[in-house]
Amino acid sequence: MRPWRRMPHRHHSWQASDALLAVPLGLIAAIIVADILTPPHVPLGPLLIVAPAITASFASPFITALVGLIAIGALLGVGAGFHLLTSESVGAQIISLVVVSVVVTVFRYLRERHSHELEQVRRVSEAAQRVVLRPLPRRIGPLRVASVYMAAQEEALIGGDLYAAVRTSFGTRLIIGDVMGKGLTAMGDASLLLGAFREAAHRTAGLPELMTYLERSVCWNLAEPTEPGQEGECFITAAIVDIPDTPSPARIVSCGHPPPLLLRDRQVVTLRASAPAPPLGLGELTTPEYRVDTFHLEPGDLLLLYTDGVVEARDPSGVFYPLTARAASWAQDTPVALVHHLRADLLDHVGGRLSDDAAVVALQRTADPH
């Protein structure tokens, strides 16, 4: 199916290029006609430089070079018609046109090669995203789920934020976290935590025991930071939620992570931890105690998990994004619609580009246990 979807797009792009190609060709014709009609002491040949320059803004290097050759040929034709090819003026115009055509063609080639390299980097980044940050399914047991990741770096699709979900013998276990920093270093630390979570989430029954395991794993893997000068500065905020398939209370443990929001009947409840533990990776500085908090997730309720890149996003005037106030207006949405509205509204708030990675996971319990 994918090749068939690409063909209409390529056909549309070629038709658009055809239409734009009429602009430089029309300019060449107009300049030549004007040059023929004007007196010989008013040279208009130098204006032909604009034709390859304009073509380079939208066409391939081959088309750019072809338009340059057409412009050069037109100038040679006018010079030959008026027997001026041996004059210094026409010779200088031809040399200038040749030089400009070569320069813009080379720059167009370099720009196109850079675009191909950037596209390849994006494809590799997307592949890494699917390996490290696997997409959450739309349905997990009795839960409808939706997620979105917004990377701060324009060239990347992922960074230091993370989320994952696994099925256990009693229900669904989810993690959301945020690694200090951005880019490839943060992505590596996030992959370490996700790997440890997926390995232990199935066989560790209690949340405190799971958090202890993750703390040890993070301290071990972050003992040698990948960047100099970061000794003792690497940590990961995280929250793990256990949601049983039965109507039993859900459980949550937070390690310095922003509190989730519970949306019920157009009301928003902030699920603050009674005794939040320090972020993962700082366990050697203290003796963490992982206290489990409980809450009820009724059919129709929405649970919104997010990273600090959402609530710490600022608009151009420095105002933080009002997540709680905005979420109240989307309390009746499905998880997919809620995530869609939140992403669009957040990007509009910051003017189109985030300064920090942001991740959002929304889930809703349904009446159907399957």
Side-chain angles (χ1 to χ4, degrees), residues 253-294:
V253 172
S254 177
C255 294
H257 199 75
L261 300 181
L262 180 63
L263 285 64
R264 175 185 297 162
D265 298 330
R266 295 190 180 277
Q267 300 295 321
V268 180
V269 179
T270 302
L271 302 177
R272 301 188 184 279
S274 58
L280 299 174
L282 300 180
E284 294 183 350
L285 305 179
T286 182
T287 303
E289 179 181 353
Y290 303 109
R291 180 174 299 181
V292 178
D293 294 305
T294 61

